[in-house]
Amino acid sequence: MSKLNNELASSIRTVSEGGIEMIHHKYFVNIYFDNEFTNDQANKTYDYKKKAVDEAIKDKDISSYLWLHERAYRVEAILYALEDWWKPSKKEYWEVIANLWTDTENVYENNLAWEQLLFLEFSDSHLMMDEEDTKFFNELPNTITIYRGGIDDKGYSWTLDKDKAEWFANRWVMNGNLGDKSNVTNRHKTNVFKKTINKSDAIAYLSDRNESEIIYRKED
């Protein structure tokens, strides 16, 4: 039987009390069954992506490089690229960051990395916005009310839409993002948080996912 390569084998995690296992690697994320088909599929995907990533780095192709990585590893990948080989213009940087942000499912788990990407690497974060979003943002009043659904009000991702914040608060529970749903009430309380802020403290407005999203520079 085909054996899983060593790098993928070292990335296997047990993800439930029932003993379900996953391969969780930057080039391959999937439920793992120790059989020839799964091992062969995982090995081939790994080999293809590793070669393609090397080519993307050689060609300085940041888009291909990022999307060859599994979603959970893309923030880590872009930080590596910035340190090692990617030297973008300001415009290119913010276009890529906007796409990466929109694609990210859980900003919260990479808060420190996003702090670096949003605030420390380049100025002029308004360049994240396209022309339509820039126009909308500029027409907002100087003081705006924003909402956030989750376990606290410390994240960067907010919305102008209270209903959308309520949906996110409920999603935390229903998608199991807090672990065992039966323990959510005792260990984690989700809520909808509200702030009235100066528009100047919001770094961008993004409408790509129909979430009326405001990226907010949190208070110290």
Side-chain angles (χ1 to χ4, degrees):
M1 183 177 75
S2 263
K3 291 186 64 175
L4 199 62
N5 79 47
N6 290 336
E7 191 167 335
L8 292 177
S10 67
S11 302
I12 294 174
R13 305 177 183 175
T14 301
V15 296
S16 78
E17 293 180 1
I20 295 175
E21 293 183 323
M22 286 191 70
I23 300 173
H24 216 291
H25 185 274
K26 62 184 179 181
Y27 299 149
F28 190 86
V29 174
N30 212 335
I31 293 174
Y32 178 63
F33 301 98
D34 187 10
N35 59 49
E36 186 163 359
F37 174 79
T38 301
N39 291 344
D40 187 56
Q41 179 190 38
N43 288 339
K44 285 181 177 178
T45 301
Y46 172 89
D47 291 341
Y48 164 76
K49 285 191 174 182
K50 188 174 187 303
K51 181 178 179 181
V53 164
D54 289 343
E55 287 296 317
I57 293 173
K58 180 180 176 182
D59 295 339
K60 301 193 183 325
D61 181 354
I62 189 64
S63 292
S64 295
Y65 166 81
L66 285 178
W67 308 127
L68 284 163
H69 286 77
E70 294 286 343
R71 177 178 279 121
Y73 294 91
R74 288 173 188 162
V75 172
E76 177 183 313
I78 200 170
L79 288 174
Y80 170 79
L82 281 165
E83 292 173 1
D84 189 65
W85 59 270
W86 186 43
K87 308 301 178 187
S89 67
K90 187 179 290 188
K91 184 175 184 295
E92 181 190 13
Y93 177 82
W94 285 115
E95 286 176 352
V96 171
I97 292 299
N99 289 332
L100 183 62
W101 177 275
T102 301
D103 174 72
T104 298
E105 287 293 326
N106 190 353
V107 172
Y108 202 88
E109 68 184 7
N110 289 304
N111 253 2
L112 292 178
W114 277 112
E115 182 173 353
Q116 178 177 343
L117 293 170
L118 292 173
F119 306 125
L120 302 181
E121 292 292 341
F122 276 80
S123 60
D124 298 329
S125 53
H126 64 275
L127 292 172
M128 289 180 74
M129 297 184 285
D130 62 21
E131 185 176 346
E132 184 177 342
D133 286 347
T134 299
K135 182 176 184 297
F136 180 89
F137 183 76
N138 288 341
E139 292 174 353
L140 289 173
N142 290 332
T143 301
I144 58 176
T145 299
I146 58 175
Y147 305 89
R148 174 177 169 81
I151 60 174
D152 61 38
D153 63 349
K154 305 304 181 187
Y156 298 118
S157 184
W158 292 72
T159 177
L160 297 171
D161 184 345
K162 184 179 179 182
D163 289 340
K164 183 60 68 172
E166 290 174 348
W167 182 86
F168 272 104
N170 291 328
R171 190 187 74 157
W172 272 87
V173 177
M174 297 308 295
N175 283 3
N177 288 324
L178 298 175
D180 182 357
K181 184 180 175 183
S182 65
N183 292 328
V184 166
T185 301
N186 293 329
R187 293 189 298 150
H188 303 278
K189 181 176 174 57
T190 60
N191 208 338
V192 174
F193 301 93
K194 174 182 175 181
K195 289 181 184 286
T196 300
I197 67 168
N198 294 324
K199 185 173 71 171
S200 59
D201 289 329
I203 71 169
Y205 166 82
L206 300 176
S207 63
D208 282 358
R209 295 185 291 193
N210 297 315
E211 294 174 1
S212 300
E213 183 176 18
I214 290 288
I215 303 177
Y216 168 59
R217 188 190 301 272
K218 66 180 181 178
E219 297 121 341
D220 294 333

